[in-house]
Amino acid sequence: MPSLSSPQPRPNVSEIPRYVAGKPPTVRPGLTSYKLSSNENPYPPLPGVLEAAQAAVAQMNRYPDMGATALYDALAERFEVPAEHLSLATGSVGLIYQLVQAFCDPGDEVVFAWRSFEAYPIAVTAAAATSVRVPVLPDGRHDLDAMAAAITDRTKVVLVCTPNNPTGPAVTQAELDAFLAKVPPHVLVVVDEAYVEFVRMDDAVDGIATYAQHDNVVLTRTFSKAYGLAGFRVGYAVAPADIAGALRAVSLPFGVSTVAQAAAIASLAAEDLLVERVEALVGERARFRDGLLEAGWAIPEAQGNFVWFDLGDRAADFAAAADAVGVTVRPFAGEGVRVSIGETEANDRILTLAREFPH
Ligand SMILES: *Cc1c(COP(=O)(O)O)cnc(C)c1O
């Protein structure tokens, strides 16, 4: 028990939920193990990325370019947006923290779907703001009507995670437009597009066109998933200049390292191969999900690089069974299991397990 005369963090700090990271695989002699627990990219670095990162390592005695000018310019050119509409951060998790910090006073409300990305309630609680969780529909989609209805006088931010991690479905442009029409103009709508490169559906959201039409819309994107740079921590927001400026103002100075900046620029330059790899993962996702549907599983639509097993109480059992065949998955106790799309061999082991596992 800390004495009252010792320094005390704000009370909200003890309420911050713990981030449960995907476990590394259990090493089993004679069996290649696979990690399908963190939605990582299974491919090696794109051509030129390792070389660019290695060259940047030699600059480790220098601070990074604080203005990250070259990366801002590369992103501005790639997405045809003004550089001052961009804000870089240490992964898009960093952006979520900055958004809450810049827009919420203690007690202000942040509305998001649940189950969704586990970093949301962590960032909200860390800022002493209040999480308002709106249950996803039985098929794992956002209940955007209920989310609009959950907006109160205290609401400052709404987070729309599309595709939704961990359940998988994405919202359509028509659904997003109808939702935005209901949100008061002073409420910020964050469209978390961490998996945007994997979306293949009719009426997919055009994030860039959407942000360009609204003064209260922010896109968050990342180099962690499709681009395969999870270890380097680079994400970016696309937003109207005043919102992007607010994010830059609260950002950690020198947060994005020299190596991360160099790797991100080189990744953008290698986009042709990236697109091929993403296409292969999308194909593998279809093969994997179709196999599960054939085996009688009710798997929600999967628009990211992962699928969701709605297992309820048996989530931990399934995860243990996967571990026993050398594959680490991500269980959410009492709710379900998320399995990333990875190596064919890894996905095949889960398919075999899923055919046998009671369902
Ligand atoms: C993985 C993920 C992110 C981003 O992670 P970073 O590595 O911090 O860029 C953001 N949102 C969702 C929904 C994610 O699943």
Side-chain angles (χ1 to χ4, degrees):
M1 193 66 195
S3 92
L4 285 178
S5 59
S6 67
Q8 296 297 310
R10 291 196 299 185
N12 56 292
V13 173
S14 62
E15 288 155 20
I16 297 172
R18 195 169 60 93
Y19 192 104
V20 184
K23 278 202 307 176
T26 312
V27 177
R28 291 176 200 285
L31 184 68
T32 309
S33 45
Y34 294 99
K35 183 176 178 220
L36 300 184
S37 54
S38 295
N39 295 347
E40 291 155 344
N41 190 314
Y43 289 99
L46 288 159
V49 175
L50 206 54
E51 294 76 5
Q54 270 160 353
V57 165
Q59 300 294 314
M60 66 171 74
N61 58 314
R62 303 289 174 197
Y63 281 103
D65 170 13
M66 183 155 156
T69 322
L71 180 51
Y72 276 118
D73 288 349
L75 286 167
E77 191 187 316
R78 169 65 186 82
F79 297 108
E80 297 176 1
V81 296
E84 60 278 12
H85 286 207
L86 296 166
S87 181
L88 287 164
T90 53
S92 47
V93 166
L95 292 165
I96 305 294
Y97 272 73
Q98 288 166 23
L99 283 159
V100 179
Q101 196 188 349
F103 288 89
C104 294
D105 282 315
D108 282 344
E109 293 171 359
V110 180
V111 174
F112 51 86
W114 201 251
R115 165 80 51 190
S116 187
F117 187 34
E118 65 179 319
Y120 296 159
I122 298 175
V124 171
T125 311
T130 300
S131 293
V132 178
R133 296 174 174 84
V134 177
V136 294
L137 295 165
D139 60 6
R141 286 161 51 234
H142 276 42
D143 187 346
L144 289 171
D145 290 337
M147 288 175 72
I151 293 172
T152 72
D153 292 348
R154 295 303 309 258
T155 307
K156 292 287 169 62
V157 178
V158 182
L159 302 165
V160 176
C161 185
T162 180
N164 188 48
N165 173 10
T167 59
V171 307
T172 64
Q173 185 70 56
E175 287 166 346
L176 184 62
D177 289 343
F179 176 71
L180 288 170
K182 290 186 216 164
V183 177
H186 65 275
V187 173
L188 192 65
V189 177
V190 180
V191 184
D192 183 338
E193 294 197 301
Y195 303 96
V196 64
E197 296 85 358
F198 298 100
V199 174
R200 299 289 181 277
M201 65 193 279
D202 292 339
D203 199 25
V205 166
D206 181 339
I208 300 286
T210 306
Y211 110 92
Q213 288 159 13
H214 296 269
D215 293 333
N216 63 334
V217 172
V218 180
L219 313 178
T220 59
R221 295 186 175 176
T222 180
F223 283 92
S224 295
K225 307 287 161 55
Y227 288 85
L229 297 183
F232 280 168
R233 318 303 305 123
V234 201
Y236 59 96
V238 187
D242 51 346
I243 296 174
L247 294 178
R248 291 192 194 196
V250 298
S251 69
L252 192 69
F254 304 112
V256 181
S257 74
T258 306
V259 179
Q261 292 182 32
I265 292 167
S267 299
L268 284 170
E271 210 172 7
D272 290 351
L273 181 57
L274 169 106
V275 169
E276 273 178 43
R277 290 176 172 187
V278 166
E279 213 44 57
L281 288 168
V282 165
E284 177 65 6
R285 174 180 77 194
R287 184 189 76 88
F288 185 52
R289 181 168 177 270
D290 288 349
L292 294 168
L293 295 179
E294 251 169 57
W297 286 86
I299 302 289
E301 201 191 331
Q303 291 291 335
N305 63 344
F306 54 89
V307 300
W308 174 248
F309 292 75
D310 189 358
L311 281 150
D313 291 344
R314 294 168 309 143
D317 290 348
F318 188 92
D323 195 58
V325 296
V327 183
T328 313
V329 298
R330 172 70 170 89
F332 295 82
E335 293 175 71
V337 167
R338 188 192 66 201
V339 178
S340 309
I341 303 301
E343 297 82 351
T344 306
E345 161 70 16
N347 292 133
D348 277 343
R349 284 193 208 165
I350 298 295
L351 265 179
T352 305
L353 164 66
R355 290 192 189 105
E356 292 157 5
F357 195 87
H359 59 286

